[in-house]
Amino acid sequence: MKYICTPVKHVYALALFLLLIPALSFGQTAISGIINSYWEVISVDFCNNRVALPGIAVGIANGDKVMLIQMTGAETDITDAPTYGTVTDYLEAGNYELLTIFDVNNNVITFNEALLKNYDAFNGKVQLVSVPQYTDADIVSDVIAPAWDGKTGGVIAFQASGTVTMNANIDASGKGFRGGIVQNQPGCFGAGAGSANYRCDIIDLCGGNKGEGIGNNGGFELGRGAPANGGGGGNDNNTGGGGGSNFGAAGIGGQRLNTGLADCKGPNPGLGGHALIYSNADNKVFAGGGGGSGDDNTGEGTSGANGGGIILIKTPTLNGNGFSILANGASQLTTANRDGGGG
């Protein structure tokens, strides 16, 4: 929904910030590790260019550059059918923009600029990410992000007006959406009857836990259906969880070797996450989906792995020196043995 209002722009605050740039950003800066800070956002006031945090703002000041980004909140198909998890409306999920802090008052942060996009912190997850400003940046050891924890993290963002020199990697691999957690369930699920369901709730035991993605799962934590770009859980005996996706669709989970078990309806492994649509016109960005968990009826199944995070860099010159900018999904490296492996 587009709000109708006329936001006020505090242009004098921007002028003050520009005057401070030479003093704050002079010379080459060695950077490494976690360079960003993160704050959960619980509400967005579009008309007044401000957001509210759950507590008093700490570590943020007037003139700071930040990125406002909505991580989740897409609408998806939640029917128990092959279409489960397909995105029907992206809504505000993936919206982001660069802003300047005008004022910090307890837990309310006001921006200098008028907001250009809508954000819904009630139906989606929204965060503020600090965006460090450099003249020349020298990456001396890997620049990384904390993993997305359901509220904050998973993003690396910075700007340089000069040259970024890489003597190490910039790496957000495995810092995106969370994989489904494995849980022990008896037999082939559903009281030994097996299940072909694409979704069910936690008490019905129809399959492994789904991975996390940009959409909600409709309250159905389990089953082989993939929620947006999250992977589906393995549905029955020894089946694997589906992989998480992003721009491309993900792979299906592993199937069991013994397909003739009389008390199982499968094999019904977890389905891979759906491909997400990117366009320059919409200008959205998404973290990678988490993998679904595998079957675990003997205590040897494994959880799904985390998807890749988000990296946003603005610089006129980047010297790679053979190093890499990485945002890969993680792999589940633990052997599942007699049960299903996570995606």
Side-chain angles (χ1 to χ4, degrees):
M1 182 180 74
K2 185 69 175 180
Y3 296 98
I4 305 300
C5 55
T6 305
V8 176
K9 187 172 183 180
H10 308 283
V11 293
Y12 53 89
L14 177 61
L16 175 62
F17 177 66
L18 292 174
L19 288 173
L20 292 175
I21 285 179
L24 294 175
S25 304
F26 181 79
Q28 188 175 58
T29 304
I31 61 175
S32 63
I34 297 173
I35 62 173
N36 303 100
S37 297
Y38 309 83
W39 299 269
E40 179 188 8
V41 172
I42 59 172
S43 68
V44 179
D45 182 347
F46 179 85
C47 293
N48 293 294
N49 314 321
R50 63 192 181 195
V51 299
L53 311 184
I56 294 176
V58 177
I60 192 168
N62 296 356
D64 286 354
K65 283 285 189 183
V66 294
M67 182 173 65
L68 183 65
I69 181 170
Q70 180 158 336
M71 303 293 287
T72 69
E75 186 177 87
T76 62
D77 185 326
I78 59 171
T79 57
D80 191 9
T83 55
Y84 175 89
T86 54
V87 177
T88 56
D89 194 332
Y90 284 86
L91 298 173
E92 289 82 16
N95 284 353
Y96 73 100
E97 57 195 286
L98 189 67
L99 300 160
T100 310
I101 302 299
F102 168 70
D103 180 64
V104 180
N105 184 8
N106 293 322
N107 71 320
V108 176
I109 296 174
T110 305
F111 306 115
N112 178 79
E113 301 86 358
L115 293 176
L116 299 177
K117 296 186 176 184
N118 296 321
Y119 300 87
D120 182 357
F122 181 77
N123 295 302
K125 301 294 186 179
V126 180
Q127 65 172 327
L128 271 183
V129 181
S130 68
V131 181
Q133 305 291 297
Y134 308 111
T135 299
D136 298 312
D138 182 13
I139 300 174
V140 295
S141 63
D142 286 2
V143 170
I144 60 174
W148 167 252
D149 63 6
K151 296 179 179 179
T152 61
V155 177
I156 298 171
F158 66 92
Q159 292 183 310
S161 59
T163 300
V164 175
T165 302
M166 296 178 63
N167 293 302
N169 296 327
I170 302 170
D171 193 354
S173 297
K175 306 302 184 182
F177 289 124
R178 297 165 294 180
I181 303 301
V182 70
Q183 63 178 45
N184 187 259
Q185 300 181 22
C188 297
F189 307 148
S195 175
N197 291 17
Y198 292 88
R199 86 297 193 268
C200 71
D201 61 35
I202 201 72
I203 63 173
D204 288 334
L205 301 182
C206 76
N209 271 303
K210 301 175 184 296
E212 184 182 23
I214 66 168
N216 61 62
N217 58 22
F220 303 108
E221 299 96 335
L222 309 181
R224 61 179 173 143
N229 60 326
N235 260 39
D236 56 15
N237 196 42
N238 301 338
T239 57
S245 68
N246 203 314
F247 177 74
I252 193 171
Q255 301 191 39
R256 66 170 185 261
L257 291 176
N258 183 356
T259 60
L261 295 176
D263 59 345
C264 296
K265 292 182 180 178
N268 288 308
L271 300 180
H274 302 277
L276 302 181
I277 297 173
Y278 280 83
S279 76
N280 288 336
D282 291 336
N283 190 23
K284 293 175 178 282
V285 63
F286 309 109
S293 68
D295 152 66
D296 177 24
N297 62 350
T298 65
E300 297 182 3
T302 58
S303 298
N306 294 346
I310 295 169
I311 301 173
L312 293 167
I313 303 166
K314 184 177 181 180
T315 180
T317 306
L318 189 147
N319 293 331
N321 290 332
F323 292 93
S324 299
I325 298 173
L326 304 166
N328 298 322
S331 297
Q332 176 51 266
L333 300 178
T334 302
T335 301
N337 292 324
R338 294 176 294 173
D339 288 320

